[in-house]
Amino acid sequence: MVAVPRWDVRDLIDIGINLTHRSFDRDRDAVIARATMAGVATLIITGTSVDDSQRAAAFAGERRATCFATAGVHPHHAKDCDARTIDTLRTLAADSNVVAIGECGLDFNRDFSPRDVQEKWFEAQLELAAEVALPVFLHERDAVARMLAILGKHRPKLAGGVVHCFTGTAADIERYLALDLHFGITGWICDERRGASLVEAARSIPLDRLMIETDAPFLLPRTLAHGVAKERRNEPAFLPEVVKALARATRRDELEIATETTRTARRFFGLPGAQTVDAM
Ligand SMILES: [Zn+2]
């Protein structure tokens, strides 16, 4: 069962959920129903390849007002890009359920694609985002210097950008803020060992630059009671754990974190119904 948080915000937005992942194949609709029950009313499904982005957009189209999608190619898959990639993403971007280009960026940790290939397709997606006037959903791992250099070049033309699953330092935050970017915080912050430096750093993120995500099925919050998540799979119903951890880290009220992250996400992604959250 999913615990309903004591603050009653019914429209949290999970800005990064890998809902096309095969681990959700058998119970995708039940996952959405549990999210709704937990107050997570809106899911933005992450597109990580051309095929995956097409699936995410089609799925979002069947669940309007609940699901939206991003369209992009993760740096791991940059080596699979070809002459048709950007055209296909451009077509997807015209779909009203597609609210960002990405995830795109640089991953010099795993290096699943050669670095020059990653940079080439990252820049191509930034150019597309500028052309279609959508924000970018950014992935960066062990590549912050190149990321900042490339973003610095393209930022004047970009509608906006969110560094998803941010796990960096206060100094990184300062540099990203200088480019007027946003931050997506995951359950990483719920890990008292691995997330300790993020707990410190998160205090320096302005509230109007902060959004929340599960990155499910990955990054199950460690704060969850043992046995809550069968098979250790993360899902959007667990997003309130991120709200709680952020409230502790920033010494703010949980209700304030919930309300403001939703407000910021609505504005950032241009989601419909941009009224304030229904707090009771
Ligand atoms: Zn990512």
Side-chain angles (χ1 to χ4, degrees):
M1 277 310 293
V2 170
V4 175
R6 58 184 168 76
W7 32 273
D8 194 7
V9 171
R10 307 307 299 166
D11 60 355
L12 293 179
I13 301 175
D14 187 347
I15 70 155
I17 151 82
N18 301 282
L19 200 57
T20 55
H21 192 273
R22 59 186 140 66
S23 69
F24 293 123
D25 279 351
R26 65 182 193 286
D27 64 346
R28 206 162 268 118
D29 282 305
V31 166
I32 295 174
R34 282 198 293 275
T36 307
M37 275 177 56
V40 185
T42 306
L43 310 178
I44 301 181
I45 306 168
T46 308
T48 59
S49 68
V50 167
D51 286 355
D52 185 51
S53 298
Q54 285 173 327
R55 276 198 302 275
F59 187 84
E62 291 162 11
R63 287 157 187 83
R64 282 177 194 277
T66 303
C67 295
F68 297 88
T70 71
V73 179
H74 190 287
H76 288 348
H77 305 302
K79 61 181 183 298
D80 303 324
C81 288
D82 61 29
R84 289 163 312 192
T85 299
I86 296 299
D87 283 342
T88 311
L89 294 179
R90 184 183 288 111
T91 303
L92 282 172
D95 183 328
S96 61
N97 296 299
V98 172
V99 293
I101 296 297
E103 68 179 298
C104 58
L106 303 174
D107 194 313
F108 294 172
N109 178 276
R110 303 267 187 95
D111 283 318
F112 286 161
S113 292
R115 294 184 179 184
D116 58 327
V117 176
Q118 291 188 39
E119 293 197 7
K120 175 186 169 183
W121 291 103
F122 178 35
E123 292 210 65
Q125 291 179 81
L126 292 176
E127 281 165 15
L128 175 65
E131 177 195 322
V132 299
L134 284 178
V136 278
F137 189 83
L138 300 162
H139 172 103
E140 178 269 313
R141 186 62 69 85
D142 292 353
V144 68
R146 284 304 296 153
M147 186 84 171
L148 284 160
I150 291 170
L151 282 171
K153 198 164 73 175
H154 292 267
R155 182 63 184 96
K157 290 182 179 166
L158 287 172
V162 56
V163 186
H164 117 92
C165 192
F166 177 78
T167 57
T169 64
D172 296 337
I173 291 170
E174 209 173 298
R175 291 186 205 111
Y176 282 128
L177 282 175
L179 292 172
D180 194 22
L181 296 172
H182 287 68
F183 301 85
I185 299 293
T186 61
W188 190 279
I189 199 168
C190 301
D191 189 326
E192 74 281 1
R193 302 162 308 171
R194 205 165 64 147
S197 64
L198 179 60
V199 168
E200 284 291 316
R203 289 179 195 139
S204 57
I205 302 178
L207 205 44
D208 63 355
R209 288 293 176 271
L210 189 62
M211 291 181 274
I212 53 176
E213 52 173 325
T214 56
D215 204 21
F218 315 112
L219 298 177
L220 179 70
R222 279 183 56 86
T223 45
L224 277 177
H226 191 70
V228 170
K230 285 181 217 145
E231 306 156 35
R232 310 302 292 162
R233 180 187 71 175
N234 195 10
E235 59 174 79
F238 303 145
L239 188 63
E241 291 301 306
V242 179
V243 174
K244 291 183 210 165
L246 263 173
R248 279 195 301 275
T250 62
R251 301 187 187 97
R252 291 180 191 273
D253 195 60
E254 290 175 8
L255 178 63
E256 186 184 17
I257 296 287
T259 307
E260 292 303 319
T261 53
T262 288
R263 197 198 311 273
T264 300
R266 282 202 194 292
R267 192 183 58 229
F268 180 85
F269 291 104
L271 302 181
Q275 73 268 45
T276 52
V277 290
D278 182 29
M280 291 162 50

